[in-house]
Amino acid sequence: MGSLVVVGVDGSSSSDAAVVQAAREAQRRRATLRVVHGFSWPVGPMYTPLDPSPLNRLAHDSAELARSVAPEVEVTDAVMTGGAVAVLTAESRDADLMVVGRRGIGGFVGMLLGSTAVSLATHSRCPVIVVSEEPDDAGPIVLAVDGSPEGENAVEFAFAEAALRGAEIRAVHAWLPDYAPAGMGVESAERLLAQAVVGRRERYPDVTAAQEVLSGETREVLIKASSGAQLMVVGARGHGGFAGLLLGSVSQALLHHAHCPVAVVRRGA
């Protein structure tokens, strides 16, 4: 298919889980997998260049882990000079999918800190899957639907991913009666869900999509819905965001607290 999956690594357990996820994603897509470690050299008169051998070994070992998960996938590895966010954002320009760990090793310049996942989800040019532990391919794909333009890309990604995985979709919309816009009742929320999925049924006839309006605060509802899921899919921004805010509070909350891997899909990604 000529596609590319990129995974950012730093040697942490979260990073290893991301490698496993990325290898499976590359296998599903019949894509090449590129394992990347971004590293910034310390600068200043008191610092001397470090031996790059451990970094090369880190990338190589991560690539070997990927090959053990998906032996038929072509895997390459690279150590790139630069901060993790800058390096991986640049890599995302040529990628179809980026995968990173939720939390990395702290205290070392250039390593994948927890903030890297949020920053990358904000700036990546392709969808990003953030992983905290070795993924479980059981359960549905939970799709957060809010009717926003960002959400349209998330819906398309969720259906394509479900088709690749042979998974069901659970499309959910959080509705809080006391804060709903005027005229936005349960019936309107149900119509919003139906409109989001109806156009995909012809393109993905083998994908089953259940629709569910859940009452409650959006972040709490979606975090709870992620329990037992194999993937949560959300747009980078939803309704109610502030101009210039590239990653919404709901997306950030899910990145930190969801019980499963989270795919963040930006508009145009």
Side-chain angles (χ1 to χ4, degrees):
M1 294 170 62
S3 57
L4 174 66
V5 175
V6 175
V7 57
V9 300
D10 69 351
S12 66
S13 59
S14 183
S15 167
D16 288 346
V19 171
V20 172
Q21 176 89 44
R24 294 178 183 175
E25 295 291 347
Q27 183 178 45
R28 294 179 184 115
R29 289 166 168 76
R30 299 195 294 277
T32 298
L33 176 60
R34 179 169 165 83
V35 177
V36 178
H37 175 68
F39 179 77
S40 295
W41 292 101
V43 294
M46 64 182 295
Y47 292 106
T48 58
L50 302 176
D51 180 4
S53 299
L55 305 180
N56 293 328
R57 188 160 52 249
L58 185 159
H60 173 77
D61 289 347
S62 295
E64 286 300 303
L65 172 59
R67 293 185 183 102
S68 72
V69 173
E72 68 276 24
V73 170
E74 178 184 350
V75 182
T76 64
D77 61 86
V79 174
M80 309 293 291
T81 302
V85 174
V87 165
L88 295 177
T89 299
E91 292 284 329
S92 74
R93 296 190 182 102
D94 297 319
D96 298 277
L97 179 68
M98 177 73 64
V99 185
V100 292
R102 182 181 294 177
R103 294 183 177 87
I105 298 173
F108 296 91
V109 176
M111 294 294 187
L112 286 177
L113 304 173
S115 61
T116 295
V118 174
S119 297
L120 187 60
T122 303
H123 298 291
S124 174
R125 303 296 292 273
C126 67
V128 178
I129 294 181
V130 179
V131 184
S132 60
E133 56 188 35
E134 187 163 329
D136 184 353
D137 289 339
I141 291 176
V142 176
L143 167 63
V145 175
D146 65 1
S148 69
E150 292 279 356
E152 282 294 303
N153 293 69
V155 173
E156 180 63 27
F157 178 88
F159 271 81
E161 190 71 16
L164 288 170
R165 296 179 180 221
E168 295 183 354
I169 286 178
R170 182 187 177 202
V172 301
H173 176 74
W175 181 70
L176 195 58
D178 293 341
Y179 295 93
M184 183 66 170
V186 174
E187 295 81 3
S188 298
E190 290 173 345
R191 281 197 299 273
L192 184 151
L193 275 173
Q195 290 168 358
V197 304
V198 68
R200 273 76 182 184
R201 294 194 187 279
E202 291 186 4
R203 294 184 60 187
Y204 302 98
D206 296 329
V207 175
T208 300
Q211 302 167 41
E212 206 172 346
V213 175
L214 302 175
S215 179
E217 195 276 328
T218 303
R219 285 168 290 191
E220 295 177 2
V221 163
L222 294 180
I223 290 170
K224 184 177 180 180
S226 71
S227 180
Q230 60 177 285
L231 183 69
M232 167 72 75
V233 181
V234 64
R237 282 185 61 197
H239 283 309
F242 295 97
L245 183 63
L246 296 180
L247 192 67
S249 60
V250 172
S251 303
Q252 291 197 47
L254 287 170
L255 287 179
H256 288 290
H257 302 295
H259 302 289
C260 67
V262 177
V264 179
V265 186
R266 291 182 57 228
R267 189 177 186 182

